[in-house]
Amino acid sequence: MREELEQAGLDSKEAQLYLAVLALGQPTVAQAAQAAQVSRTNAYDVVRRLTQRGLVTVTEIGPTGERAGRGRGVLRAADPEQFLTEWRARGNVLRELVPRLKAVMSTETARPRVRYLEGQAGITAALWETLTWDVPLKGILSMMDLLQVPGRQTMEEYIAKRRDLGITLNVVRSPEKETEDLWPSREQDLRDVRFAPPEHVFTMTMVIGSDSVAVISSRRENFAMMIDSREYAELQSGLFDSLWSASTR
């Protein structure tokens, strides 16, 4: 689990100490440091960083084990749910910050780039990033595949957040890829849906912004690709408009 905690943003010593506190229950700093194989000097600094993130608390307890103003300090690990709380809070900050940073970025110096995001986590991250783009969005959605990865719950959360942010979406879908009577054209959801001609069956999803395009595969290949290029986005937007005009409500 240490490697996964490092991927979640902890460094090696933080991950080791957090796991030690989690396993020991109420250790002292010295006990946690010994279990985590971290020097006591380093452990105090690591504990300070973990407490700042709300992952560990320090409590003074008396001889009876009750809270007391004076006594020995013990550590308690926060509920692991704190990682999700922290991730959601950070995501909200970034969704507001990224458009402001893009406004500062010089369009003359910005270079096109392609990013590859793997697995369900990468697909989910790609979807949420599209909510930082200029509106309206254009999309070609493979409904059957999106219900598999990233899954219905994630899609419902994405739709709710898009609606809360006031982001409109024009979307083309393939009738062959419909599985349920979900996500129809609906004014309150800021969504206008059209169906592509029967000969066009889309097994991938594409979301098009003014400067970027997100391409999302089916579960079989399980990846997302983000292409940050104004010219490419303009090309895909023009192709989408042609498909839109050939599609039916």
Side-chain angles (χ1 to χ4, degrees):
M1 287 186 288
R2 181 178 58 81
E3 292 182 358
E4 288 86 345
L5 285 172
E6 290 179 24
Q7 292 174 3
L10 300 185
D11 66 27
S12 178
K13 288 185 174 60
E14 290 169 347
Q16 289 171 220
L17 198 72
Y18 175 77
L19 286 172
V21 176
L22 198 66
L24 294 173
Q26 297 186 49
T28 63
V29 174
Q31 290 169 338
Q34 182 178 8
Q37 298 182 336
V38 175
S39 72
R40 188 182 301 188
T41 303
N42 286 333
Y44 283 101
D45 186 50
V46 173
V47 167
R48 178 183 57 79
R49 298 199 301 268
L50 291 174
T51 55
Q52 288 175 343
R53 292 185 61 170
L55 296 173
V56 165
T57 59
V58 182
T59 306
E60 295 287 335
I61 64 172
T64 63
E66 300 294 329
R67 288 174 179 264
R70 298 177 62 185
R72 63 190 181 97
V74 297
L75 306 177
R76 287 190 177 92
D79 189 310
E81 190 75 22
Q82 173 65 20
F83 284 100
L84 294 177
T85 301
E86 182 184 57
W87 178 78
R88 284 190 287 265
R90 186 177 300 171
N92 289 334
V93 171
L94 290 175
R95 278 190 286 276
E96 294 181 3
L97 178 61
V98 168
R100 292 161 55 193
L101 293 175
K102 285 188 174 182
V104 174
M105 180 188 291
S106 169
T107 56
E108 294 181 0
T109 58
R111 294 181 177 275
R113 62 173 181 156
V114 178
R115 290 170 286 144
Y116 176 79
L117 307 175
E118 191 172 6
Q120 180 166 338
I123 289 173
T124 301
L127 276 173
W128 284 99
E129 184 175 329
T130 65
L131 298 181
T132 68
W133 296 352
D134 294 337
V135 294
L137 296 178
K138 300 175 179 180
I140 298 171
L141 271 63
S142 176
M143 183 175 175
M144 183 183 298
D145 294 298
L146 288 172
L147 287 172
Q148 293 179 340
V149 178
R152 182 166 180 169
Q153 181 178 344
T154 298
M155 288 303 302
E156 294 292 354
E157 291 173 356
Y158 172 81
I159 292 166
K161 189 62 178 181
R162 180 180 58 76
R163 182 177 59 239
D164 292 344
L165 293 172
I167 299 174
T168 59
L169 173 67
N170 290 337
V171 56
V172 174
R173 304 205 300 254
S174 302
E176 187 172 322
K177 285 291 183 175
E178 299 292 293
T179 61
E180 302 178 49
D181 187 19
L182 291 175
W183 314 331
S185 291
R186 184 175 293 162
E187 185 175 352
Q188 59 266 40
D189 284 341
L190 307 178
R191 180 176 53 239
D192 193 0
V193 179
R194 292 189 182 182
F195 290 102
E199 63 270 21
H200 297 296
V201 179
F202 305 111
T203 60
M204 297 183 71
T205 288
M206 177 183 292
V207 182
I208 305 164
S210 60
D211 299 295
S212 301
V213 176
V215 180
I216 297 172
S217 78
S218 67
R219 184 168 60 181
R220 183 177 60 184
E221 296 192 352
N222 208 29
F223 76 93
M225 185 167 58
M226 309 297 287
I227 305 170
D228 302 317
S229 164
R230 176 166 293 184
E231 287 189 4
Y232 185 76
E234 289 175 349
L235 170 65
Q236 294 300 328
S237 180
L239 293 173
F240 175 89
D241 291 342
S242 298
L243 178 61
W244 179 261
S245 62
S247 300
T248 57
R249 294 187 181 278

